[in-house]
């Protein structure tokens, strides 16, 4: 009857096990959608071993998991990164379990690592179980009830102001992130618009007689701070290219990083 | 709910009806949880078949005689009511609960996170002016109080939160207030991708640090950026 | 209030406090009128001076034992609730309970059994990151709240269960959670780390202090995980 418990119980792994091969394909047929992460998948696989989680064969489990990942790969199932991380770790663990222990005593032994994985699975399963039990308890508003008609008291009217912590936090978070969502231009008022540069250079170049440096076309106001200047140069250069395209000006540069020169075509001759 | 088969109707009904003390318990629970007074018929309809609601209710009425709560007949219906002689105990609970206004919650949150904070700073952070009434409400509630004056020109008064504030929000200290990434983690914040977020353009000085800004603000409360 | 001279203070108090059975009636009336649990202190504040709320409540608890309505302890608070075995009579009262996701249910259980617990620990136990909305839902239901910060590097915030949680699930204290001592004995509640790994907090992303974090936030609003 409890929705939560039911959902937990209908975890897709109650299927009886026949032999390893059948089991493998059976598990592999289940789509990843049903799992909540690699540990959940491992727990599901561990259940198919039908032994106490403390006596589980971690080596077998690792093989089962790696086979799953291989199969998913063959089927071009997209596996989330955590599944792949777990696969890499299990592959490492498997090799450690199969190979003789290294000389270096500093590292944790393969057995310790395997025991930790078994511990994690056992702990997750314990939490699953109590979660289901919790949901199946007699719950307020479903099995147990409060006074249906709390008695209205009308004598002395005082106002009690309430606010909850989530409201408080939410309000603060909203204030503190408001600026993050501001439209970009608010922050970029120092950008010299290309349109403005276009008008400016078209006007000036039309009047200028010979070659002038591009920098000479920068507006006075935009020569102050480095980033203002940078913006003005970039916009003016973009504008000059546009004017070249239109056939109104010519530009030249005598070498890499050399000054850029510009003259109006009408004036040049 | 009862899993009996339908064959032996009358017998079944007799068999189903629990003993009278149990019926009394049932009527007690039903009436307690009901938002409205209930008639004998309504209660009987909720009891197992074959129950005698009238008898159960009369037993219940006797049981509650002289208690702090009594079973009362209201017209042809029944309801639990506080004993009339104890009405005086109910007086102090006559309160309306009202939600704090958005302005008040925001102001409170800013005080909590930035304390000690001046009114000018609160306005700077909220981006709107803070009305006298908002601060008054919070002061009256006992959730904020005046702190030390700031050692800056004008010596503005600051606001800080109180014990009562920690109490109401179930916090053990103002340091226990969660940070922004914890809001996000808890889903209290929209995790929209933030447009224009500047990340590693290290040499740019375009990123205004809120706190520098506030310090500047505190030092010269009149300074404003056009 | 007291008309007597100051000398007979103690006597005055004794005189004011009604006999215990009367205090019991009063506590009964006060609690019956409230749908929400009330703490012993709240009840005592409503009783005449010199009353012993605790003693009155304990008498009341005994009186309602086995009744259709029972006095229940919920943390430090008390409330009348219908007897759980009569739930089947109450279908018409039952509210539609919001269906919780499996992630939310498991997270709730983890908070209950491991409290105070950090988000990183919840993720460690479930083996997946806690999705947005999971903690949010539980916070909104009022079943969990922010607890003290952990005194480890980064001072991560912790989560604990609330009184509303106890009330909802019919527990008088978090210590009464079924299986708790067995789990503890089996070491399942230990905070074990993977052997040979650096200590957990070191590779946490929750390492920023609340205030530092805000600075980081202001400086690089992008620096959170998507």
């Amino acid at each position: 009857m409890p929705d939560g418990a039911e959902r937990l119980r209908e975890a897709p792994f109650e299927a009886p096990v026949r032999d390893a091969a059948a089991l493998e394909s059976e598990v592999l047929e289940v789509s990843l959608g049903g799992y909540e992460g690699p540990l959940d998948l491992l727990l599901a696989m561990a259940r198919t071993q039908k032994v106490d989680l403390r006596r589980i064969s971690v080596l077998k489990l690792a093989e089962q998991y790696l086979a799953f990942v291989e199969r998913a790969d063959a089927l071009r199932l997209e596996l989330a990164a955590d599944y792949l991380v777990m696969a890499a770790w299990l592959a490492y663990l498997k090799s450690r379990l199969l190979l003789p222990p290294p000389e270096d005593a500093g590292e944790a032994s393969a057995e310790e690592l395997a025991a930790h994985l078994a511990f994690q699975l056992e702990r997750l399963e314990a939490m699953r179980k109590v979660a289901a039990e919790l949901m199946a308890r007699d719950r307020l508003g479903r099995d147990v009830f409060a006074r249906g008609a709390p008695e209205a008291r009308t004598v002395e009217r005082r106002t009690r102001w309430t606010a909850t912590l989530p409201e408080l936090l939410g309000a603060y978070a909203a204030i503190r992130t408001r600026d993050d969502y501001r439209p970009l231009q608010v922050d970029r008022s120092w950008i010299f618009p290309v349109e403005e540069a276009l008008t400016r250079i078209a006007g000036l170049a039309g009047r200028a007689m010979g070659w002038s440096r591009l920098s000479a076309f920068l507006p006075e106001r935009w020569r102050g701070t480095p980033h203002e200047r940078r913006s003005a140069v970039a916009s003016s250069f973009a504008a000059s290219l546009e004017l070249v395209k239109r056939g109104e000006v010519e530009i030249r540069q005598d070498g890499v990083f050399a000054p850029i020169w510009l003259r109006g075509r009408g004036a040049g001759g | 709910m009862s899993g009996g088969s339908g064959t032996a109707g009358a017998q079944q009904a007799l068999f189903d009806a629990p003993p009278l003390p149990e019926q009394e318990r049932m009527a007690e629970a039903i009436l307690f949880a009901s938002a409205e007074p209930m008639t004998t018929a309504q209660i009987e309809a909720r009891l197992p078949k074959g129950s005698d609601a009238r008898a159960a209710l009369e037993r219940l009425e006797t049981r509650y005689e002289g208690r702090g709560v009594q079973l009362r007949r209201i017209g042809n219906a029944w309801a639990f009511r506080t004993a009339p002689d104890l009405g005086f105990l109910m007086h102090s609970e006559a309160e309306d609960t009202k939600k704090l206004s958005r302005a008040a919650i925001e102001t409170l949150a800013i005080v909590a996170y930035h304390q000690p904070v001046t009114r000018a700073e609160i306005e700077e952070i909220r981006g709107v002016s803070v009305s006298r009434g908002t601060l008054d409400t919070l002061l009256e509630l006992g959730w904020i109080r005046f702190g030390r004056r700031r050692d800056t020109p004008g010596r503005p008064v600051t606001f800080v939160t109180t014990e009562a504030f920690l109490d109401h929000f179930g916090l053990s200290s103002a340091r226990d207030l969660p940070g922004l990434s914890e809001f996000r983690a808890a889903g209290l914040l929209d995790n929209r991708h933030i447009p224009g977020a500047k990340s590693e353009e290290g040499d740019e000085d375009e990123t205004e640090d809120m706190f520098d800004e506030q310090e500047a603000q505190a030092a010269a409360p009149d300074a404003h950026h056009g």
Side-chain angles (χ1 to χ4, degrees), chain A, chain B:
Chain A
M1 72 196 144
D3 38 15
E6 216 157 72
R7 298 240 310 251
L8 283 176
R9 282 193 207 109
E10 72 192 20
F13 296 99
E14 307 304 321
V17 187
R18 275 141 307 204
D19 58 31
L23 169 148
E24 208 164 82
S25 59
E26 211 169 317
V27 171
L28 289 174
E29 269 161 21
V30 182
S31 83
L32 261 186
Y35 303 102
E36 301 219 348
L39 215 49
D40 186 28
L41 174 56
L42 274 170
L43 184 57
M45 289 174 169
R47 285 198 189 118
T48 64
Q49 285 194 20
K50 291 252 163 175
V51 291
D52 188 310
L53 281 177
R54 298 199 159 190
R55 276 178 288 129
I56 200 145
S57 160
V58 171
L59 183 62
K60 192 171 154 199
L61 194 58
E63 281 166 349
Q64 223 174 335
Y65 187 94
L66 292 171
F68 178 96
V69 171
E70 249 170 54
R71 178 72 187 275
D73 196 40
L75 292 174
R76 298 200 190 162
L77 266 174
E78 195 99 352
L79 285 180
D82 359 352
Y83 289 90
L84 301 178
V85 170
M86 179 60 87
W89 188 78
L90 287 174
Y92 164 76
L93 180 60
K94 183 184 159 191
S95 70
R96 290 279 312 267
L97 285 167
L98 292 173
L99 294 171
E103 307 284 294
D104 178 12
E107 267 182 86
S109 75
E111 284 70 29
E112 282 173 322
L113 293 175
H116 184 73
L117 181 63
F119 164 75
Q120 283 181 294
L121 293 175
E122 194 188 352
R123 182 174 60 182
L124 180 60
E125 186 168 70
M127 288 301 115
R128 288 269 158 86
K129 187 170 146 276
V130 294
E133 284 168 5
L134 199 56
M135 291 299 132
R137 288 182 68 86
D138 292 317
R139 289 164 61 181
L140 188 66
R142 194 188 66 184
D143 312 294
V144 164
F145 294 85
R147 176 85 189 269
E151 286 179 60
R153 307 153 198 100
T154 48
V155 184
E156 206 186 314
R157 289 229 154 263
R158 272 192 298 148
T159 303
R160 202 180 88 200
W161 297 92
T162 59
T164 64
L165 191 60
E167 281 166 357
L168 185 75
L169 305 184
Y172 185 67
I175 298 166
R176 290 306 301 268
T177 53
R178 198 161 44 202
D179 287 355
D180 296 345
Y181 305 136
R182 230 162 25 170
L184 220 51
Q185 55 268 30
V186 176
D187 283 310
R188 298 289 175 96
S189 55
W190 46 265
I191 285 183
F192 185 58
V194 176
E195 296 72 27
E196 206 176 303
L198 208 55
T199 327
R200 185 179 167 82
I201 295 173
L204 291 175
R207 270 178 268 141
M209 292 311 291
W211 290 99
S212 312
R213 280 172 171 234
L214 180 64
S215 55
F217 289 89
L218 300 190
E220 206 55 53
R221 201 159 62 76
W222 288 92
R223 297 182 189 184
T225 66
H227 61 234
E228 282 174 344
R229 193 182 164 80
R230 217 178 297 166
S231 167
V233 170
S235 300
S236 299
F237 180 62
S240 65
L241 291 179
E242 173 63 24
L243 290 172
V244 170
K245 199 174 118 195
R246 290 190 204 161
E248 292 178 30
V249 303
E250 291 175 309
I251 56 177
R252 71 178 167 86
Q253 188 180 28
D254 299 333
V256 180
F257 297 121
I260 295 169
W261 297 87
L262 180 149
R263 70 171 174 187
R265 275 188 79 166
Chain B
M1 256 297 148
S2 68
S5 67
T7 50
Q11 268 193 331
Q12 181 74 29
L14 278 173
F15 180 75
D16 269 350
L20 199 52
E22 187 61 14
Q23 291 181 33
E24 185 196 327
R25 278 186 81 226
M26 291 172 168
E28 187 181 26
I30 291 169
L31 270 174
F32 173 84
S34 170
E36 305 289 332
M38 291 176 79
T39 64
T40 313
Q42 282 170 329
I43 294 165
E44 194 152 290
R46 297 265 297 271
L47 293 177
K49 251 182 229 158
S51 296
D52 181 351
R54 172 137 223 114
L57 286 162
E58 272 161 11
R59 281 177 66 112
L60 202 56
E61 189 179 24
T62 314
R63 177 179 295 273
Y64 277 89
E65 225 158 65
R67 303 296 318 147
V69 169
Q70 292 169 6
L71 185 59
R72 294 252 296 275
R73 294 175 203 236
I74 296 162
N76 60 351
W78 300 78
F80 280 115
R81 290 287 181 258
T82 306
D85 66 308
L86 298 181
F88 73 97
L89 288 171
M90 303 295 131
H91 293 185
S92 60
E93 249 193 72
E95 334 180 274
D96 291 330
T97 48
K98 276 198 201 166
K99 289 228 168 237
L100 271 189
S101 70
R102 175 151 192 90
I105 288 186
E106 286 186 10
T107 304
L108 181 62
I110 292 167
V111 174
Y113 278 92
H114 294 264
Q115 57 190 306
V117 63
T118 68
R119 182 162 165 189
E121 288 159 4
I122 297 171
E123 295 184 337
E124 165 69 18
I125 296 168
R126 281 195 67 212
V128 281
S129 62
V130 174
S131 78
R132 184 75 235 165
T134 302
L135 287 166
D136 282 348
T137 307
L138 295 173
L139 286 165
E140 255 169 52
L141 273 167
W143 286 351
I144 67 171
R145 60 178 178 78
F146 293 106
R148 283 178 173 284
R149 284 183 178 276
R150 191 56 69 67
D151 258 342
T152 52
R155 297 184 41 76
V157 76
T158 63
F159 296 94
V160 296
T161 56
T162 62
E163 285 284 308
F165 164 81
L166 296 177
D167 229 44
H168 182 92
F169 291 98
L171 297 161
S172 26
S173 93
R175 295 279 292 171
D176 286 341
L177 282 164
L180 285 188
S181 77
E182 286 154 347
F183 291 166
R184 278 210 182 83
L188 292 171
L189 249 190
D190 263 355
N191 217 357
R192 277 175 281 175
H193 201 76
I194 297 171
K198 312 140 199 160
S199 44
E200 265 105 54
E201 304 156 63
D203 60 335
E204 295 291 351
D205 50 357
E206 64 198 347
T207 34
E208 315 117 45
D209 185 299
M210 288 219 68
F211 289 80
D212 290 345
E213 195 172 41
Q214 276 162 26
E215 264 159 36
Q217 202 63 27
D222 292 329
H224 62 277
H225 15 250

